[in-house]
Amino acid sequence: MAEETIFSRIAAGEIPAEIVYQDEAVTAFRDINPLAPTHVLVVPNRVIPAMTDVTPEDEPVLGRLLAAAARIAEDEGLSEDGYRLIVNCGSHGGQEVPHLHLHLLGGRPLGPMLTE
Ligand code: AMP
Protein backbone atom coordinates (compact mmCIF):
# COMPACT_ATOMS: atom_id res chain seq x y z
CA MET A 1 0.00 0.00 0.00
CA ALA A 2 1.26 3.48 -0.90
CA GLU A 3 2.37 5.74 1.93
CA GLU A 4 0.05 8.31 3.46
CA THR A 5 0.12 11.79 1.97
CA ILE A 6 -1.22 15.13 3.07
CA PHE A 7 -4.12 14.53 0.67
CA SER A 8 -4.93 11.05 1.98
CA ARG A 9 -4.95 12.53 5.47
CA ILE A 10 -7.39 15.23 4.30
CA ALA A 11 -9.56 12.51 2.73
CA ALA A 12 -9.50 10.60 6.04
CA GLY A 13 -10.53 13.73 7.98
CA GLU A 14 -7.21 13.86 9.85
CA ILE A 15 -6.19 17.26 8.46
CA PRO A 16 -8.70 20.09 8.02
CA ALA A 17 -9.65 21.28 4.55
CA GLU A 18 -12.69 22.84 2.91
CA ILE A 19 -14.17 19.68 1.44
CA VAL A 20 -16.66 20.33 -1.36
CA TYR A 21 -17.39 16.73 -2.33
CA GLN A 22 -16.61 13.26 -0.98
CA ASP A 23 -17.67 9.70 -1.71
CA GLU A 24 -16.11 6.30 -1.14
CA ALA A 25 -13.66 6.74 -4.03
CA VAL A 26 -12.78 10.43 -4.26
CA THR A 27 -12.47 13.59 -2.18
CA ALA A 28 -12.48 17.18 -3.44
CA PHE A 29 -11.39 20.20 -1.44
CA ARG A 30 -10.38 23.81 -2.05
CA ASP A 31 -6.72 24.47 -2.82
CA ILE A 32 -5.00 26.26 0.06
CA ASN A 33 -3.32 28.62 -2.43
CA PRO A 34 -6.02 29.27 -5.04
CA LEU A 35 -4.94 30.42 -8.48
CA ALA A 36 -8.46 31.23 -9.69
CA PRO A 37 -11.84 32.09 -8.09
CA THR A 38 -12.57 28.35 -8.08
CA HIS A 39 -9.54 26.11 -7.44
CA VAL A 40 -10.53 22.67 -6.23
CA LEU A 41 -8.34 19.57 -5.97
CA VAL A 42 -9.97 16.23 -6.74
CA VAL A 43 -8.07 13.25 -5.36
CA PRO A 44 -8.57 9.49 -5.14
CA ASN A 45 -9.02 8.45 -1.50
CA ARG A 46 -6.51 5.65 -2.09
CA VAL A 47 -3.05 6.99 -2.91
CA ILE A 48 -1.85 6.79 -6.49
CA PRO A 49 1.41 8.75 -6.35
CA ALA A 50 1.47 10.05 -9.94
CA MET A 51 0.25 9.43 -13.47
CA THR A 52 3.38 7.33 -14.01
CA ASP A 53 2.08 4.87 -11.37
CA VAL A 54 -1.34 4.32 -12.97
CA THR A 55 -2.24 0.69 -13.67
CA PRO A 56 -5.25 -0.82 -15.42
CA GLU A 57 -6.89 -1.44 -12.05
CA ASP A 58 -6.93 2.33 -11.48
CA GLU A 59 -9.12 2.97 -14.53
CA PRO A 60 -12.43 3.02 -12.60
CA VAL A 61 -11.20 5.56 -10.04
CA LEU A 62 -9.74 7.75 -12.78
CA GLY A 63 -13.20 7.87 -14.33
CA ARG A 64 -14.66 8.72 -10.96
CA LEU A 65 -12.23 11.65 -10.62
CA LEU A 66 -13.32 13.14 -13.95
CA ALA A 67 -17.01 12.58 -13.25
CA ALA A 68 -16.66 14.20 -9.81
CA ALA A 69 -14.82 17.16 -11.34
CA ALA A 70 -17.62 17.71 -13.85
CA ARG A 71 -20.22 17.57 -11.08
CA ILE A 72 -18.30 19.99 -8.85
CA ALA A 73 -17.77 22.36 -11.79
CA GLU A 74 -21.52 22.34 -12.35
CA ASP A 75 -22.14 22.99 -8.63
CA GLU A 76 -19.62 25.85 -8.68
CA GLY A 77 -21.45 27.46 -11.62
CA LEU A 78 -18.59 26.92 -14.07
CA SER A 79 -20.29 24.85 -16.74
CA GLU A 80 -21.55 27.70 -18.90
CA ASP A 81 -18.28 29.62 -19.24
CA GLY A 82 -16.01 26.59 -18.94
CA TYR A 83 -13.03 25.66 -16.83
CA ARG A 84 -9.70 23.87 -16.92
CA LEU A 85 -8.54 20.55 -15.47
CA ILE A 86 -4.81 20.08 -14.88
CA VAL A 87 -2.86 17.02 -13.75
CA ASN A 88 0.79 17.72 -12.96
CA CYS A 89 3.19 14.78 -13.09
CA GLY A 90 6.77 14.57 -11.86
CA SER A 91 9.42 17.26 -11.82
CA HIS A 92 8.88 18.59 -15.35
CA GLY A 93 5.14 18.63 -14.71
CA GLY A 94 5.63 20.66 -11.53
CA GLN A 95 4.01 18.09 -9.25
CA GLU A 96 4.55 18.98 -5.58
CA VAL A 97 2.31 16.52 -3.75
CA PRO A 98 2.93 12.82 -4.58
CA HIS A 99 -0.76 11.92 -4.65
CA LEU A 100 -2.39 12.09 -8.07
CA HIS A 101 -4.91 14.93 -8.23
CA LEU A 102 -6.92 16.99 -10.66
CA HIS A 103 -6.80 20.76 -10.35
CA LEU A 104 -10.23 22.20 -11.25
CA LEU A 105 -9.77 25.87 -12.11
CA GLY A 106 -12.37 28.37 -13.21
CA GLY A 107 -14.31 31.53 -12.52
CA ARG A 108 -12.30 33.77 -14.86
CA PRO A 109 -10.66 33.48 -18.29
CA LEU A 110 -7.60 31.34 -17.63
CA GLY A 111 -5.37 32.54 -20.45
CA PRO A 112 -3.03 30.43 -22.53
CA MET A 113 -2.39 26.88 -21.40
CA LEU A 114 1.34 27.49 -20.93
CA THR A 115 3.13 30.79 -20.39
CA GLU A 116 6.70 29.60 -20.97
P1 AMP B 1 0.81 20.02 -7.51
O1 AMP B 1 1.91 21.01 -7.76
O2 AMP B 1 0.06 19.66 -8.77
O3 AMP B 1 1.31 18.80 -6.75
O4 AMP B 1 -0.26 20.76 -6.64
C1 AMP B 1 -0.29 20.70 -5.25
C2 AMP B 1 -1.35 21.67 -4.78
O5 AMP B 1 -1.71 21.32 -3.46
C3 AMP B 1 -0.90 23.14 -4.75
O6 AMP B 1 -1.77 23.91 -5.58
C4 AMP B 1 -1.04 23.52 -3.27
O7 AMP B 1 -1.48 24.84 -3.08
C5 AMP B 1 -2.05 22.49 -2.77
N1 AMP B 1 -1.99 22.17 -1.36
C6 AMP B 1 -0.90 21.79 -0.64
N2 AMP B 1 -1.25 21.54 0.63
C7 AMP B 1 -2.59 21.73 0.73
C8 AMP B 1 -3.54 21.63 1.78
N3 AMP B 1 -3.19 21.26 3.02
N4 AMP B 1 -4.84 21.92 1.50
C9 AMP B 1 -5.21 22.30 0.27
N5 AMP B 1 -4.36 22.41 -0.77
C10 AMP B 1 -3.07 22.14 -0.55
Side-chain angles (χ1 to χ4, degrees):
M1 184 159 128
E3 284 181 25
E4 281 194 338
T5 67
I6 188 163
F7 292 170
S8 66
R9 297 193 68 200
I10 286 172
E14 296 167 5
I15 292 179
E18 193 179 339
I19 291 176
V20 298
Y21 176 80
Q22 186 165 45
D23 63 28
E24 78 286 356
V26 309
T27 299
F29 50 92
R30 296 196 190 280
D31 196 291
I32 203 167
N33 182 26
L35 300 177
T38 292
H39 187 171
V40 169
L41 303 176
V42 190
V43 313
N45 294 339
R46 180 177 60 79
V47 179
I48 303 168
M51 285 299 296
T52 45
D53 299 297
V54 166
T55 68
E57 78 175 27
D58 298 320
E59 289 173 8
V61 77
L62 296 179
R64 297 284 292 265
L65 288 177
L66 282 175
R71 176 174 166 175
I72 296 158
E74 175 74 24
D75 291 348
E76 295 278 322
L78 302 178
S79 294
E80 187 173 338
D81 289 332
Y83 50 89
R84 185 171 292 164
L85 296 173
I86 295 174
V87 181
N88 295 321
C89 178
S91 60
H92 280 198
Q95 183 178 5
E96 293 171 1
V97 177
H99 184 144
L100 191 155
H101 50 283
L102 305 184
H103 293 258
L104 166 61
L105 295 150
R108 64 169 171 81
L110 295 167
M113 194 157 63
L114 296 175
T115 54
E116 59 184 78

